[in-house]
Amino acid sequence: MTDEWLLRAEGVGKSYGETRALIDASLTIGAGEAVAIMGPSGSGKSTLLHVLAGIIPADGGRVLLRRGEGAAGADEIGSLGDDERSALRLSRFGFVFQQGLLLPELTAAENVALPLLLRSVPRAEAARRSEERLAALGLAGLGERRIGQLSGGQAQRVAIARALIADPSLIFADEPTGALDSRTADEVLTALLATARGPGSALVVVTHDEHVASRCDRVVRLRDGRIQETAGTDPIPIGDPR
Ligand code: ADP
Ligand code: MG
Protein backbone atom coordinates (compact mmCIF):
# COMPACT_ATOMS: atom_id res chain seq x y z
CA MET A 1 0.00 0.00 0.00
CA THR A 2 1.04 3.61 -0.41
CA ASP A 3 1.20 6.22 2.33
CA GLU A 4 -1.94 7.82 0.97
CA TRP A 5 -5.01 7.59 3.11
CA LEU A 6 -8.39 7.03 1.54
CA LEU A 7 -10.97 7.07 4.30
CA ARG A 8 -10.76 8.19 7.88
CA ALA A 9 -13.04 8.34 10.87
CA GLU A 10 -12.30 10.86 13.59
CA GLY A 11 -13.92 10.45 17.00
CA VAL A 12 -17.07 8.96 15.55
CA GLY A 13 -19.97 8.02 17.80
CA LYS A 14 -23.38 6.46 17.19
CA SER A 15 -26.15 5.73 19.67
CA TYR A 16 -29.47 4.01 19.21
CA GLY A 17 -31.52 5.44 22.06
CA GLU A 18 -29.72 4.35 25.23
CA THR A 19 -27.43 1.97 23.37
CA ARG A 20 -24.03 3.44 22.59
CA ALA A 21 -23.19 1.29 19.58
CA LEU A 22 -20.01 3.17 18.67
CA ILE A 23 -17.91 5.35 20.96
CA ASP A 24 -15.17 7.76 19.88
CA ALA A 25 -13.96 5.61 17.00
CA SER A 26 -10.97 6.85 15.02
CA LEU A 27 -9.60 4.86 12.14
CA THR A 28 -7.66 5.50 8.95
CA ILE A 29 -7.90 3.30 5.89
CA GLY A 30 -4.96 3.57 3.54
CA ALA A 31 -5.02 3.35 -0.23
CA GLY A 32 -4.58 -0.26 -1.30
CA GLU A 33 -5.26 -1.50 2.21
CA ALA A 34 -7.49 -4.36 3.38
CA VAL A 35 -8.77 -3.92 6.93
CA ALA A 36 -10.67 -6.55 8.92
CA ILE A 37 -13.08 -5.50 11.66
CA MET A 38 -13.56 -8.12 14.36
CA GLY A 39 -15.30 -8.30 17.71
CA PRO A 40 -18.07 -10.09 19.56
CA SER A 41 -21.66 -9.92 18.40
CA GLY A 42 -23.17 -6.55 19.31
CA SER A 43 -19.79 -4.83 19.64
CA GLY A 44 -20.57 -2.28 16.92
CA LYS A 45 -18.94 -3.81 13.84
CA SER A 46 -21.85 -3.31 11.46
CA THR A 47 -22.48 0.16 12.88
CA LEU A 48 -18.87 1.14 12.23
CA LEU A 49 -19.03 -0.21 8.68
CA HIS A 50 -22.28 1.62 7.93
CA VAL A 51 -20.98 4.87 9.38
CA LEU A 52 -17.76 4.61 7.35
CA ALA A 53 -19.81 4.08 4.20
CA GLY A 54 -22.18 6.95 4.95
CA ILE A 55 -25.18 4.62 5.12
CA ILE A 56 -26.09 5.77 8.61
CA PRO A 57 -25.14 9.18 9.98
CA ALA A 58 -22.80 9.38 12.95
CA ASP A 59 -23.99 11.51 15.84
CA GLY A 60 -20.53 12.74 16.69
CA GLY A 61 -17.18 13.09 14.97
CA ARG A 62 -16.68 12.97 11.23
CA VAL A 63 -15.82 10.65 8.36
CA LEU A 64 -13.58 11.94 5.60
CA LEU A 65 -13.22 10.45 2.13
CA ARG A 66 -10.41 11.43 -0.20
CA ARG A 67 -11.69 12.68 -3.52
CA GLY A 68 -11.28 10.22 -6.36
CA GLU A 69 -9.46 10.28 -9.68
CA GLY A 70 -6.57 12.51 -8.69
CA ALA A 71 -8.74 15.34 -7.33
CA ALA A 72 -7.24 17.14 -4.35
CA GLY A 73 -8.83 17.25 -0.91
CA ALA A 74 -11.44 15.23 0.89
CA ASP A 75 -15.16 15.28 1.54
CA GLU A 76 -16.82 14.93 4.91
CA ILE A 77 -19.38 12.25 4.17
CA GLY A 78 -21.83 13.45 6.84
CA SER A 79 -22.04 16.93 5.35
CA LEU A 80 -22.85 15.82 1.81
CA GLY A 81 -26.44 16.02 0.65
CA ASP A 82 -28.46 12.85 0.04
CA ASP A 83 -27.99 13.09 -3.72
CA GLU A 84 -24.24 13.57 -3.47
CA ARG A 85 -23.98 10.67 -1.05
CA SER A 86 -25.99 8.41 -3.33
CA ALA A 87 -23.86 9.40 -6.30
CA LEU A 88 -20.74 8.61 -4.31
CA ARG A 89 -22.04 5.20 -3.32
CA LEU A 90 -22.91 4.41 -6.89
CA SER A 91 -19.62 5.55 -8.35
CA ARG A 92 -17.02 4.55 -5.77
CA PHE A 93 -18.47 2.16 -3.20
CA GLY A 94 -19.37 -1.50 -3.37
CA PHE A 95 -21.32 -3.24 -0.62
CA VAL A 96 -21.69 -6.82 0.45
CA PHE A 97 -24.20 -6.94 3.26
CA GLN A 98 -24.69 -9.59 5.91
CA GLN A 99 -27.91 -10.62 4.27
CA GLY A 100 -27.19 -10.49 0.56
CA LEU A 101 -30.14 -8.15 -0.09
CA LEU A 102 -30.67 -9.65 -3.51
CA LEU A 103 -33.92 -9.08 -5.33
CA PRO A 104 -35.74 -12.43 -5.43
CA GLU A 105 -37.89 -11.55 -8.45
CA LEU A 106 -34.79 -11.00 -10.60
CA THR A 107 -32.40 -13.63 -11.91
CA ALA A 108 -28.86 -13.90 -10.61
CA ALA A 109 -27.52 -12.21 -13.76
CA GLU A 110 -30.03 -9.37 -13.44
CA ASN A 111 -29.15 -8.84 -9.79
CA VAL A 112 -25.47 -8.60 -10.68
CA ALA A 113 -26.12 -6.22 -13.59
CA LEU A 114 -28.23 -3.85 -11.50
CA PRO A 115 -25.50 -1.38 -10.47
CA LEU A 116 -24.51 -0.98 -14.13
CA LEU A 117 -28.09 -0.44 -15.26
CA LEU A 118 -28.45 2.21 -12.54
CA ARG A 119 -25.49 3.94 -14.15
CA SER A 120 -27.06 3.75 -17.60
CA VAL A 121 -24.66 1.16 -19.00
CA PRO A 122 -26.34 -0.39 -22.07
CA ARG A 123 -28.26 -3.57 -21.28
CA ALA A 124 -26.21 -5.87 -23.54
CA GLU A 125 -22.92 -4.70 -22.08
CA ALA A 126 -24.30 -4.99 -18.54
CA ALA A 127 -25.42 -8.55 -19.27
CA ARG A 128 -22.03 -9.49 -20.71
CA ARG A 129 -20.13 -8.07 -17.72
CA SER A 130 -22.57 -9.74 -15.36
CA GLU A 131 -21.90 -13.15 -16.92
CA GLU A 132 -18.14 -12.54 -16.68
CA ARG A 133 -18.35 -11.69 -12.98
CA LEU A 134 -20.54 -14.68 -12.25
CA ALA A 135 -18.10 -16.95 -14.05
CA ALA A 136 -15.15 -15.45 -12.15
CA LEU A 137 -16.88 -16.42 -8.91
CA GLY A 138 -17.58 -19.97 -10.03
CA LEU A 139 -21.21 -19.38 -11.03
CA ALA A 140 -20.97 -19.83 -14.80
CA GLY A 141 -24.27 -21.07 -16.21
CA LEU A 142 -26.34 -20.08 -13.16
CA GLY A 143 -27.16 -16.55 -14.31
CA GLU A 144 -30.70 -17.40 -15.38
CA ARG A 145 -31.71 -18.80 -12.01
CA ARG A 146 -33.72 -16.78 -9.57
CA ILE A 147 -32.17 -16.20 -6.15
CA GLY A 148 -34.46 -18.75 -4.50
CA GLN A 149 -33.07 -21.44 -6.80
CA LEU A 150 -29.52 -20.98 -5.50
CA SER A 151 -27.83 -22.30 -2.37
CA GLY A 152 -26.92 -19.83 0.38
CA GLY A 153 -23.29 -19.86 -0.68
CA GLN A 154 -24.17 -19.30 -4.34
CA ALA A 155 -26.49 -16.43 -3.45
CA GLN A 156 -23.73 -14.85 -1.38
CA ARG A 157 -21.39 -15.03 -4.36
CA VAL A 158 -24.06 -13.34 -6.49
CA ALA A 159 -24.12 -10.54 -3.91
CA ILE A 160 -20.34 -10.26 -4.17
CA ALA A 161 -20.43 -10.25 -7.98
CA ARG A 162 -22.93 -7.41 -7.77
CA ALA A 163 -20.75 -5.47 -5.34
CA LEU A 164 -17.74 -5.74 -7.65
CA ILE A 165 -19.31 -5.27 -11.04
CA ALA A 166 -19.04 -1.51 -11.29
CA ASP A 167 -15.35 -1.65 -10.27
CA PRO A 168 -15.80 0.25 -7.04
CA SER A 169 -12.72 1.60 -5.32
CA LEU A 170 -13.95 1.08 -1.77
CA ILE A 171 -15.56 -2.19 -0.82
CA PHE A 172 -17.48 -2.60 2.41
CA ALA A 173 -18.33 -6.19 3.29
CA ASP A 174 -20.23 -7.41 6.36
CA GLU A 175 -19.38 -11.05 7.05
CA PRO A 176 -19.23 -11.87 3.34
CA THR A 177 -17.97 -15.40 3.86
CA GLY A 178 -20.19 -16.41 6.77
CA ALA A 179 -22.43 -18.67 4.68
CA LEU A 180 -19.64 -20.25 2.63
CA ASP A 181 -17.57 -23.40 2.98
CA SER A 182 -13.91 -22.67 3.62
CA ARG A 183 -12.75 -23.21 0.04
CA THR A 184 -15.43 -20.98 -1.47
CA ALA A 185 -14.80 -18.44 1.28
CA ASP A 186 -11.17 -18.32 0.25
CA GLU A 187 -12.04 -17.74 -3.42
CA VAL A 188 -14.49 -15.01 -2.53
CA LEU A 189 -11.95 -13.32 -0.31
CA THR A 190 -9.35 -13.51 -3.06
CA ALA A 191 -11.76 -11.68 -5.39
CA LEU A 192 -12.47 -9.02 -2.76
CA LEU A 193 -8.78 -8.54 -1.96
CA ALA A 194 -7.81 -8.24 -5.63
CA THR A 195 -10.21 -5.34 -5.98
CA ALA A 196 -8.82 -3.65 -2.88
CA ARG A 197 -5.24 -3.59 -4.10
CA GLY A 198 -5.54 -0.80 -6.63
CA PRO A 199 -3.88 2.51 -5.77
CA GLY A 200 -7.15 4.29 -5.00
CA SER A 201 -8.89 1.25 -3.55
CA ALA A 202 -9.48 -0.43 -0.21
CA LEU A 203 -11.46 -3.19 1.45
CA VAL A 204 -13.14 -2.97 4.85
CA VAL A 205 -14.46 -6.35 5.90
CA VAL A 206 -16.35 -7.33 9.04
CA THR A 207 -15.59 -10.95 9.86
CA HIS A 208 -15.65 -13.55 12.61
CA ASP A 209 -13.17 -15.67 10.71
CA GLU A 210 -9.53 -15.43 11.87
CA HIS A 211 -8.39 -16.83 8.53
CA VAL A 212 -10.14 -14.02 6.66
CA ALA A 213 -8.60 -11.53 9.07
CA SER A 214 -5.15 -13.02 8.60
CA ARG A 215 -5.29 -12.33 4.87
CA CYS A 216 -6.00 -8.64 5.50
CA ASP A 217 -3.29 -6.09 6.24
CA ARG A 218 -4.68 -5.04 9.55
CA VAL A 219 -7.27 -6.04 12.13
CA VAL A 220 -9.38 -3.55 14.05
CA ARG A 221 -10.98 -5.06 17.14
CA LEU A 222 -14.14 -3.67 18.69
CA ARG A 223 -15.51 -4.27 22.16
CA ASP A 224 -18.61 -2.58 23.53
CA GLY A 225 -18.48 0.02 20.78
CA ARG A 226 -14.83 0.95 21.29
CA ILE A 227 -11.85 0.19 19.09
CA GLN A 228 -9.47 -1.89 21.18
CA GLU A 229 -6.33 -2.23 19.18
CA THR A 230 -5.18 -2.27 15.62
CA ALA A 231 -2.52 -4.76 14.75
CA GLY A 232 -0.51 -4.66 11.56
CA THR A 233 0.80 -1.66 9.71
CA ASP A 234 1.42 1.57 11.58
CA PRO A 235 -1.17 4.28 11.37
CA ILE A 236 -0.68 6.52 8.40
CA PRO A 237 0.60 10.00 9.14
CA ILE A 238 -2.12 12.47 8.39
CA GLY A 239 -1.70 15.82 6.73
CA ASP A 240 -4.58 18.22 6.64
CA PRO A 241 -7.00 16.71 4.13
CA ARG A 242 -8.25 19.98 2.71
P1 ADP B 1 -22.23 -6.12 15.52
O1 ADP B 1 -22.28 -5.90 14.05
O2 ADP B 1 -20.85 -6.09 16.09
O3 ADP B 1 -22.96 -7.36 15.92
P2 ADP B 1 -23.99 -3.81 15.65
O4 ADP B 1 -23.22 -2.67 15.13
O5 ADP B 1 -24.99 -4.44 14.77
O6 ADP B 1 -22.97 -4.90 16.24
O7 ADP B 1 -24.75 -3.35 16.97
C1 ADP B 1 -24.12 -2.66 18.04
C2 ADP B 1 -25.15 -2.38 19.12
O8 ADP B 1 -26.13 -1.48 18.62
C3 ADP B 1 -25.90 -3.61 19.59
O9 ADP B 1 -26.18 -3.44 20.97
C4 ADP B 1 -27.17 -3.57 18.77
O10 ADP B 1 -28.21 -4.21 19.45
C5 ADP B 1 -27.41 -2.08 18.65
N1 ADP B 1 -28.10 -1.73 17.39
C6 ADP B 1 -27.62 -1.92 16.14
N2 ADP B 1 -28.48 -1.46 15.21
C7 ADP B 1 -29.53 -0.95 15.89
C8 ADP B 1 -30.76 -0.32 15.51
N3 ADP B 1 -31.07 -0.09 14.23
N4 ADP B 1 -31.61 0.06 16.51
C9 ADP B 1 -31.31 -0.14 17.81
N5 ADP B 1 -30.18 -0.73 18.24
C10 ADP B 1 -29.29 -1.13 17.30
MG1 MG C 1 -23.12 -7.06 12.48
Side-chain angles (χ1 to χ4, degrees), residues 14-17 19-22 37-50 56 98 174-175 206 208 222 225:
K14 176 70 190 177
S15 294
Y16 300 101
T19 304
R20 299 183 73 192
L22 199 60
I37 299 174
M38 300 191 84
S41 180
S43 59
K45 303 181 298 295
S46 295
T47 301
L48 175 59
L49 194 78
H50 292 166
I56 55 175
Q98 212 161 352
D174 200 343
E175 301 191 31
V206 170
H208 279 116
L222 279 172

CSV table of all heavy atoms in Angstrom, one decimal, residues 14-17 19-22 37-50 56 98 174-175 206 208 222 225, ligand 1:
chain,number,residue,atom,x,y,z
A,14,LYS,N,-22.0,6.7,17.7
A,14,LYS,CA,-23.4,6.5,17.2
A,14,LYS,C,-24.2,5.8,18.3
A,14,LYS,O,-23.7,4.7,18.8
A,14,LYS,CB,-23.3,5.6,16.0
A,14,LYS,CG,-24.7,5.1,15.4
A,14,LYS,CD,-25.4,6.3,14.8
A,14,LYS,CE,-26.9,6.0,14.5
A,14,LYS,NZ,-27.6,7.1,14.0
A,15,SER,N,-25.3,6.3,18.7
A,15,SER,CA,-26.1,5.7,19.7
A,15,SER,C,-27.5,5.4,19.1
A,15,SER,O,-28.0,6.1,18.2
A,15,SER,CB,-26.4,6.7,20.9
A,15,SER,OG,-25.1,6.9,21.5
A,16,TYR,N,-28.1,4.3,19.5
A,16,TYR,CA,-29.5,4.0,19.2
A,16,TYR,C,-30.2,4.1,20.5
A,16,TYR,O,-30.1,3.2,21.4
A,16,TYR,CB,-29.6,2.6,18.7
A,16,TYR,CG,-28.8,2.3,17.4
A,16,TYR,CD1,-27.6,1.6,17.4
A,16,TYR,CD2,-29.3,2.7,16.2
A,16,TYR,CE1,-26.9,1.4,16.3
A,16,TYR,CE2,-28.6,2.5,15.0
A,16,TYR,CZ,-27.4,1.8,15.1
A,16,TYR,OH,-26.7,1.5,13.9
A,17,GLY,N,-30.9,5.2,20.8
A,17,GLY,CA,-31.5,5.4,22.1
A,17,GLY,C,-30.5,5.4,23.2
A,17,GLY,O,-29.5,6.1,23.1
A,19,THR,N,-28.5,2.8,23.7
A,19,THR,CA,-27.4,2.0,23.4
A,19,THR,C,-26.3,2.7,22.7
A,19,THR,O,-26.6,3.3,21.6
A,19,THR,CB,-27.9,0.9,22.4
A,19,THR,OG1,-29.0,0.2,23.0
A,19,THR,CG2,-26.8,-0.1,22.1
A,20,ARG,N,-25.2,2.8,23.2
A,20,ARG,CA,-24.0,3.4,22.6
A,20,ARG,C,-23.3,2.4,21.7
A,20,ARG,O,-22.5,1.6,22.2
A,20,ARG,CB,-23.1,4.1,23.6
A,20,ARG,CG,-23.8,5.1,24.4
A,20,ARG,CD,-22.9,5.8,25.4
A,20,ARG,NE,-22.0,6.7,24.7
A,20,ARG,CZ,-20.9,7.2,25.3
A,20,ARG,NH1,-20.6,6.9,26.6
A,20,ARG,NH2,-20.1,8.1,24.7
A,21,ALA,N,-23.7,2.3,20.5
A,21,ALA,CA,-23.2,1.3,19.6
A,21,ALA,C,-21.7,1.5,19.2
A,21,ALA,O,-21.0,0.6,19.0
A,21,ALA,CB,-24.1,1.2,18.3
A,22,LEU,N,-21.4,2.8,19.1
A,22,LEU,CA,-20.0,3.2,18.7
A,22,LEU,C,-19.6,4.4,19.5
A,22,LEU,O,-20.3,5.4,19.6
A,22,LEU,CB,-20.0,3.5,17.2
A,22,LEU,CG,-18.7,3.5,16.4
A,22,LEU,CD1,-18.1,2.1,16.5
A,22,LEU,CD2,-19.0,3.9,14.9
A,37,ILE,N,-12.5,-5.9,10.4
A,37,ILE,CA,-13.1,-5.5,11.7
A,37,ILE,C,-13.6,-6.7,12.4
A,37,ILE,O,-14.4,-7.5,11.8
A,37,ILE,CB,-14.2,-4.5,11.4
A,37,ILE,CG1,-13.7,-3.2,10.7
A,37,ILE,CG2,-14.9,-4.1,12.7
A,37,ILE,CD1,-14.7,-2.3,10.3
A,38,MET,N,-13.1,-7.0,13.6
A,38,MET,CA,-13.6,-8.1,14.4
A,38,MET,C,-14.1,-7.7,15.7
A,38,MET,O,-13.8,-6.6,16.2
A,38,MET,CB,-12.4,-9.1,14.6
A,38,MET,CG,-11.8,-9.6,13.3
A,38,MET,SD,-10.7,-11.0,13.5
A,38,MET,CE,-11.8,-12.4,13.6
A,39,GLY,N,-14.8,-8.6,16.4
A,39,GLY,CA,-15.3,-8.3,17.7
A,39,GLY,C,-16.5,-9.1,18.0
A,39,GLY,O,-17.1,-9.6,17.0
A,40,PRO,N,-16.9,-9.3,19.2
A,40,PRO,CA,-18.1,-10.1,19.6
A,40,PRO,C,-19.3,-9.5,18.9
A,40,PRO,O,-19.4,-8.4,18.6
A,40,PRO,CB,-18.2,-10.0,21.1
A,40,PRO,CG,-16.9,-9.4,21.6
A,40,PRO,CD,-16.3,-8.7,20.4
A,41,SER,N,-20.4,-10.4,18.9
A,41,SER,CA,-21.7,-9.9,18.4
A,41,SER,C,-22.1,-8.7,19.2
A,41,SER,O,-22.0,-8.8,20.5
A,41,SER,CB,-22.6,-11.1,18.5
A,41,SER,OG,-23.9,-10.7,18.0
A,42,GLY,N,-22.7,-7.7,18.6
A,42,GLY,CA,-23.2,-6.6,19.3
A,42,GLY,C,-22.1,-5.5,19.7
A,42,GLY,O,-22.4,-4.5,20.3
A,43,SER,N,-20.9,-5.7,19.2
A,43,SER,CA,-19.8,-4.8,19.6
A,43,SER,C,-19.7,-3.6,18.8
A,43,SER,O,-18.9,-2.7,19.0
A,43,SER,CB,-18.4,-5.6,19.6
A,43,SER,OG,-18.2,-6.1,18.3
A,44,GLY,N,-20.5,-3.5,17.7
A,44,GLY,CA,-20.6,-2.3,16.9
A,44,GLY,C,-19.9,-2.4,15.5
A,44,GLY,O,-19.8,-1.4,14.9
A,45,LYS,N,-19.6,-3.6,15.1
A,45,LYS,CA,-18.9,-3.8,13.8
A,45,LYS,C,-19.8,-3.3,12.7
A,45,LYS,O,-19.3,-2.5,11.8
A,45,LYS,CB,-18.6,-5.3,13.6
A,45,LYS,CG,-17.8,-5.9,14.7
A,45,LYS,CD,-17.5,-7.4,14.4
A,45,LYS,CE,-18.7,-8.3,14.3
A,45,LYS,NZ,-19.5,-8.4,15.6
A,46,SER,N,-21.0,-3.7,12.6
A,46,SER,CA,-21.9,-3.3,11.5
A,46,SER,C,-22.1,-1.8,11.5
A,46,SER,O,-22.1,-1.1,10.5
A,46,SER,CB,-23.2,-4.0,11.5
A,46,SER,OG,-23.0,-5.4,11.2
A,47,THR,N,-22.3,-1.3,12.7
A,47,THR,CA,-22.5,0.2,12.9
A,47,THR,C,-21.3,0.9,12.4
A,47,THR,O,-21.4,1.9,11.6
A,47,THR,CB,-22.7,0.5,14.4
A,47,THR,OG1,-23.9,-0.2,14.8
A,47,THR,CG2,-23.0,2.0,14.5
A,48,LEU,N,-20.1,0.5,12.7
A,48,LEU,CA,-18.9,1.1,12.2
A,48,LEU,C,-18.8,1.1,10.7
A,48,LEU,O,-18.5,2.1,10.0
A,48,LEU,CB,-17.6,0.5,12.8
A,48,LEU,CG,-16.3,1.0,12.3
A,48,LEU,CD1,-16.1,2.5,12.6
A,48,LEU,CD2,-15.1,0.2,13.0
A,49,LEU,N,-19.1,-0.1,10.1
A,49,LEU,CA,-19.0,-0.2,8.7
A,49,LEU,C,-20.0,0.7,8.0
A,49,LEU,O,-19.7,1.4,7.0
A,49,LEU,CB,-19.3,-1.7,8.3
A,49,LEU,CG,-19.0,-2.1,6.9
A,49,LEU,CD1,-17.5,-2.3,6.7
A,49,LEU,CD2,-19.8,-3.3,6.5
A,50,HIS,N,-21.2,0.8,8.5
A,50,HIS,CA,-22.3,1.6,7.9
A,50,HIS,C,-22.0,3.1,8.1
A,50,HIS,O,-22.3,3.9,7.2
A,50,HIS,CB,-23.6,1.3,8.5
A,50,HIS,CG,-24.1,-0.1,8.2
A,50,HIS,ND1,-25.1,-0.8,8.8
A,50,HIS,CD2,-23.6,-1.0,7.2
A,50,HIS,CE1,-25.3,-2.0,8.2
A,50,HIS,NE2,-24.4,-2.1,7.3
A,56,ILE,N,-25.4,5.2,7.5
A,56,ILE,CA,-26.1,5.8,8.6
A,56,ILE,C,-25.2,6.9,9.1
A,56,ILE,O,-24.0,6.9,9.1
A,56,ILE,CB,-26.4,4.8,9.8
A,56,ILE,CG1,-25.1,4.1,10.2
A,56,ILE,CG2,-27.4,3.7,9.4
A,56,ILE,CD1,-25.3,3.2,11.4
A,98,GLN,N,-24.6,-8.3,5.2
A,98,GLN,CA,-24.7,-9.6,5.9
A,98,GLN,C,-25.8,-10.5,5.3
A,98,GLN,O,-25.5,-11.6,5.0
A,98,GLN,CB,-25.0,-9.3,7.4
A,98,GLN,CG,-24.5,-10.2,8.4
A,98,GLN,CD,-24.4,-9.6,9.8
A,98,GLN,OE1,-24.7,-8.4,10.0
A,98,GLN,NE2,-24.1,-10.5,10.7
A,174,ASP,N,-19.8,-7.0,5.0
A,174,ASP,CA,-20.2,-7.4,6.4
A,174,ASP,C,-20.4,-8.9,6.4
A,174,ASP,O,-21.4,-9.5,5.9
A,174,ASP,CB,-21.5,-6.7,6.7
A,174,ASP,CG,-21.7,-6.7,8.3
A,174,ASP,OD1,-21.1,-7.4,9.0
A,174,ASP,OD2,-22.6,-5.9,8.7
A,175,GLU,N,-19.4,-9.6,7.0
A,175,GLU,CA,-19.4,-11.1,7.0
A,175,GLU,C,-19.7,-11.7,5.7
A,175,GLU,O,-20.6,-12.5,5.6
A,175,GLU,CB,-20.3,-11.5,8.1
A,175,GLU,CG,-19.9,-10.9,9.5
A,175,GLU,CD,-20.6,-11.6,10.7
A,175,GLU,OE1,-21.0,-12.8,10.6
A,175,GLU,OE2,-20.9,-10.9,11.7
A,206,VAL,N,-16.0,-6.8,7.7
A,206,VAL,CA,-16.4,-7.3,9.0
A,206,VAL,C,-16.3,-8.9,9.0
A,206,VAL,O,-16.9,-9.4,8.0
A,206,VAL,CB,-17.8,-6.9,9.4
A,206,VAL,CG1,-18.3,-7.6,10.7
A,206,VAL,CG2,-17.8,-5.4,9.7
A,208,HIS,N,-15.9,-12.8,11.4
A,208,HIS,CA,-15.7,-13.6,12.6
A,208,HIS,C,-14.5,-14.5,12.4
A,208,HIS,O,-14.1,-15.3,13.3
A,208,HIS,CB,-16.9,-14.4,13.0
A,208,HIS,CG,-17.9,-13.6,13.7
A,208,HIS,ND1,-19.2,-13.3,13.2
A,208,HIS,CD2,-17.8,-12.9,14.9
A,208,HIS,CE1,-19.8,-12.5,14.1
A,208,HIS,NE2,-19.0,-12.3,15.1
A,222,LEU,N,-13.2,-4.5,18.0
A,222,LEU,CA,-14.1,-3.7,18.7
A,222,LEU,C,-14.6,-4.4,19.9
A,222,LEU,O,-14.7,-5.7,19.9
A,222,LEU,CB,-15.4,-3.4,17.8
A,222,LEU,CG,-15.3,-2.3,16.8
A,222,LEU,CD1,-16.5,-2.3,15.9
A,222,LEU,CD2,-15.2,-0.9,17.5
A,225,GLY,N,-18.4,-1.2,21.5
A,225,GLY,CA,-18.5,0.0,20.8
A,225,GLY,C,-17.2,0.8,20.7
A,225,GLY,O,-17.1,1.8,20.1
B,1,ADP,P1,-22.2,-6.1,15.5
B,1,ADP,O1,-22.3,-5.9,14.0
B,1,ADP,O2,-20.9,-6.1,16.1
B,1,ADP,O3,-23.0,-7.4,15.9
B,1,ADP,P2,-24.0,-3.8,15.6
B,1,ADP,O4,-23.2,-2.7,15.1
B,1,ADP,O5,-25.0,-4.4,14.8
B,1,ADP,O6,-23.0,-4.9,16.2
B,1,ADP,O7,-24.8,-3.4,17.0
B,1,ADP,C1,-24.1,-2.7,18.0
B,1,ADP,C2,-25.1,-2.4,19.1
B,1,ADP,O8,-26.1,-1.5,18.6
B,1,ADP,C3,-25.9,-3.6,19.6
B,1,ADP,O9,-26.2,-3.4,21.0
B,1,ADP,C4,-27.2,-3.6,18.8
B,1,ADP,O10,-28.2,-4.2,19.4
B,1,ADP,C5,-27.4,-2.1,18.6
B,1,ADP,N1,-28.1,-1.7,17.4
B,1,ADP,C6,-27.6,-1.9,16.1
B,1,ADP,N2,-28.5,-1.5,15.2
B,1,ADP,C7,-29.5,-0.9,15.9
B,1,ADP,C8,-30.8,-0.3,15.5
B,1,ADP,N3,-31.1,-0.1,14.2
B,1,ADP,N4,-31.6,0.1,16.5
B,1,ADP,C9,-31.3,-0.1,17.8
B,1,ADP,N5,-30.2,-0.7,18.2
B,1,ADP,C10,-29.3,-1.1,17.3
